[in-house]
Amino acid sequence: MKQELAGLVKKSIVRLVLGIVLIGIFVFFPAGSFSFWNGWLYLTTILALISYGFIWMYKYDPKLLERRLRSREKESTQVVFIVFSSLLILGIFILPGLDYRYSWSRVPLVVVGIAELLFIISYLLMLRVMKENRYASRVIEVEEAQKVVDIGMYSIVRHPMYMAMSVFYMSTSLVLGSYVGLIPGVLLPFLLTIRIKNEEKVLEKELKGYKEYKEKVKYRMIPYIW
């Protein structure tokens, strides 16, 4: 057990370091300068948030952390989603740097501050979702003994993780000081609808009680809208 936990910690640290390094490259290389202060703000914030998230998951539920580290999809439809969503996320990181270099747009400091707050809140909401649903995984799957969760945020929308994720990535471009970066950020929620529809087909088929849950909670991702 101790060996498994040690391996999980090592994997988490490696994933964190690689992730931060890659984000740094995607943000600063297009900017062509380390004077891009929005980049430092974003990098510092996301490092603090992800570190806190890993520590929280490790203490609260190591199995949850292990699930969140999975990245290999079983559903072929989701492989297509991952390719296109990865391209959009790359755009969210790369475009602000290019925007900084070529001065395409400038986001007022007060908007950056509001976006920073939304960015932090959206990440904390994702952690709350994971606390309410310990089976939350990065891949679509139904595990043995998994049950339908209909409490907390799941009593409002069926996919609160995607709702929080959408705010997370849309606020990213504004924290990075770019309106141009909002373009892929706004497109991402539309792409998520494809994932949601496929995911619900799997859940209806494999998760007992999910059809009844759909009748109880009408909205997928945005309350009173969709």
Side-chain angles (χ1 to χ4, degrees), residues 73-90:
E73 278 285 0
K74 299 176 183 178
E75 295 289 319
S76 57
T77 304
Q78 297 308 319
V79 175
V80 177
F81 164 81
I82 289 173
V83 171
F84 284 99
S85 63
S86 296
L87 291 174
L88 288 179
I89 292 170
L90 277 175

Side-chain angles (χ1 to χ4, degrees), residues 16 45-59 123-124 127-128:
L16 173 62
T45 305
I46 198 169
L47 174 60
L49 289 175
I50 296 178
S51 298
Y52 171 75
F54 277 175
I55 294 170
W56 177 84
M57 282 185 276
Y58 179 79
K59 292 180 66 176
Y123 186 83
L124 295 178
L127 290 183
R128 177 179 173 179

Side-chain angles (χ1 to χ4, degrees), residues 200-213:
E200 291 202 327
K201 287 181 181 179
V202 175
L203 293 174
E204 282 184 21
K205 182 180 178 182
E206 300 182 14
L207 184 59
K208 184 179 179 181
Y210 194 79
K211 288 183 179 180
E212 292 76 9
Y213 169 66

Side-chain angles (χ1 to χ4, degrees), residues 147-162:
K147 297 179 180 179
V148 172
V149 177
D150 59 0
I151 61 172
M153 294 183 68
Y154 282 93
S155 65
I156 303 172
V157 292
R158 301 200 294 266
H159 300 276
M161 178 65 79
Y162 297 143

Side-chain angles (χ1 to χ4, degrees), residues 125-187:
L125 283 176
M126 285 191 279
L127 290 183
R128 177 179 173 179
V129 170
M130 286 184 271
K131 183 177 181 180
E132 293 171 349
N133 180 12
R134 63 188 301 267
Y135 289 97
S137 173
R138 290 167 62 95
V139 300
I140 295 177
E141 60 184 356
V142 175
E143 297 187 33
E144 187 177 350
Q146 182 174 342
K147 297 179 180 179
V148 172
V149 177
D150 59 0
I151 61 172
M153 294 183 68
Y154 282 93
S155 65
I156 303 172
V157 292
R158 301 200 294 266
H159 300 276
M161 178 65 79
Y162 297 143
M163 178 182 67
M165 188 187 301
S166 297
V167 177
F168 180 83
Y169 281 112
M170 284 191 287
S171 60
T172 288
S173 60
L174 296 177
V175 173
L176 288 169
S178 173
Y179 288 125
V180 179
L182 265 177
I183 297 172
V186 170
L187 290 175

